[in-house]
Amino acid sequence: MLLSNGRQEFLSGESVIYQCYRLYEMEGTPIAMCENGHWRGAPRCVQTCRANQVGMDRNNIQLRWFTKSTSMRASDYWMEFECKPGFRKHPLSSPFMKQCVKGPWVYPRCV
């Protein structure tokens, strides 16, 4: 998301500040500069943790709780999973408590 006070046009040499939406992490610096009609140094916002029903069903788990934070940093969010009724934790399962970090995660598994 571009923090530009509603401006649509910028002169060469002007800079802007970017901020990512919740649960996205920024790659690069938050400041980009306009150079001859092109942005130099514009960051990328990458999606972090997302729990989806297909992934949870495939691993026989459900969401137990997740933290809600006023922070814009995805790494300030945590989720914990639990086995669905009638299933138990697989002995080689990844941890059931997950911190939102850059990139995909491995779901915990119940059998």
Side-chain angles (χ1 to χ4, degrees):
M1 160 173 59
L2 176 62
L3 303 176
S4 65
N5 295 332
R7 289 180 59 192
Q8 300 274 332
E9 296 181 15
F10 297 86
L11 299 174
S12 190
E14 290 185 312
S15 60
V16 294
I17 299 174
Y18 284 82
Q19 180 176 345
C20 295
Y21 291 108
R22 274 193 175 87
L23 299 181
Y24 285 78
E25 289 285 335
M26 186 176 296
E27 285 185 347
T29 65
I31 299 173
M33 181 175 285
C34 179
E35 284 187 355
N36 301 318
H38 299 282
W39 290 107
R40 183 174 59 88
R44 238 182 76 174
C45 294
V46 293
Q47 188 175 11
T48 57
C49 63
R50 288 285 193 259
N52 64 56
Q53 197 61 49
V54 173
M56 291 190 294
D57 288 346
R58 189 176 299 134
N59 291 286
N60 304 309
I61 59 173
Q62 59 193 16
L63 188 61
R64 182 172 180 197
W65 61 262
F66 69 96
T67 59
K68 291 183 179 180
S69 173
T70 57
S71 168
M72 293 297 287
R73 292 180 42 80
S75 57
D76 289 342
Y77 286 79
W78 287 80
M79 295 183 178
E80 185 175 10
F81 297 94
E82 63 186 359
C83 293
K84 288 183 174 183
F87 294 90
R88 60 180 166 69
K89 182 179 177 180
H90 188 283
L92 301 176
S93 175
S94 66
F96 276 64
M97 187 178 290
K98 302 283 186 183
Q99 182 180 21
C100 298
V101 293
K102 188 169 112 180
W105 63 19
V106 176
Y107 282 101
R109 182 160 175 74
C110 294
V111 290

